Amino acid sequence: GVSGKLVFSSGTSKAGDSGSLLLGSGAATGGKGGAVTIGVGVGNTGNGGDVTINSGSSTAGSSIGGSVVVKSAAGTNDSGDVTVKTANSGSGGSSGDLSFTTGTSGAGSTGAISLTTGAATGGAGGAIGLSVGAGNTGAGGEVTISAGVSSAAAGGAASLAGGSSSAGAGGAASVT
């Protein structure tokens, strides 16, 4: 059989905002705050269960849908890490894909994808690495960077530039 469903939901509202739903652990004195884990149980037939996090939509005129924010907390020294990864594959299979995609647009521009590190005070800016994992059969994996295609104007540009410096030479941009 199937185990029961567990639903946590705020009530509907006919005039005003509906209530919020907060899932969190309590503050700690003399120890660290408790962890919050969202996980799907293990099954033994079919595919594993999904975890889906959706923000709210709105039918109001000229409205914007809700955002989804995932961020780590600040400490007195370092802030915490945010890790997004797929699990290792089983024997004889492939690991899952990791996809960052903006939605399509009905009238207007689609959203941008920004991959940046923060500015540093008293240190160097963080690096960004884009690389393909090593394999032991066949050709190595490819890295493809393509600018956008347009049917109404010029296509988008693809640029590779080294960093500038106010105290010395700028960084090099290399393609090998």
Side-chain angles (χ1 to χ4, degrees), residues 10-43:
S10 63
T12 59
S13 173
K14 294 184 178 179
D17 298 338
S18 62
S20 301
L21 186 63
L22 175 63
L23 178 64
S25 61
T29 302
K32 65 179 182 179
V36 175
T37 302
I38 300 175
V40 176
V42 177

Side-chain angles (χ1 to χ4, degrees), residues 24-116:
S25 61
T29 302
K32 65 179 182 179
V36 175
T37 302
I38 300 175
V40 176
V42 177
N44 62 5
T45 60
N47 297 325
D50 298 327
V51 174
T52 303
I53 301 175
N54 290 328
S55 62
S57 60
S58 175
T59 59
S62 301
S63 63
I64 299 174
S67 300
V68 175
V69 178
V70 179
K71 71 175 185 177
S72 63
T76 55
N77 289 324
D78 299 338
S79 61
D81 297 330
V82 175
T83 302
V84 180
K85 64 172 293 184
T86 63
N88 298 333
S89 70
S91 59
S94 301
S95 61
D97 296 333
L98 195 59
S99 178
F100 296 94
T101 310
T102 64
T104 60
S105 173
S109 302
T110 59
I113 294 179
S114 178
L115 181 63
T116 59

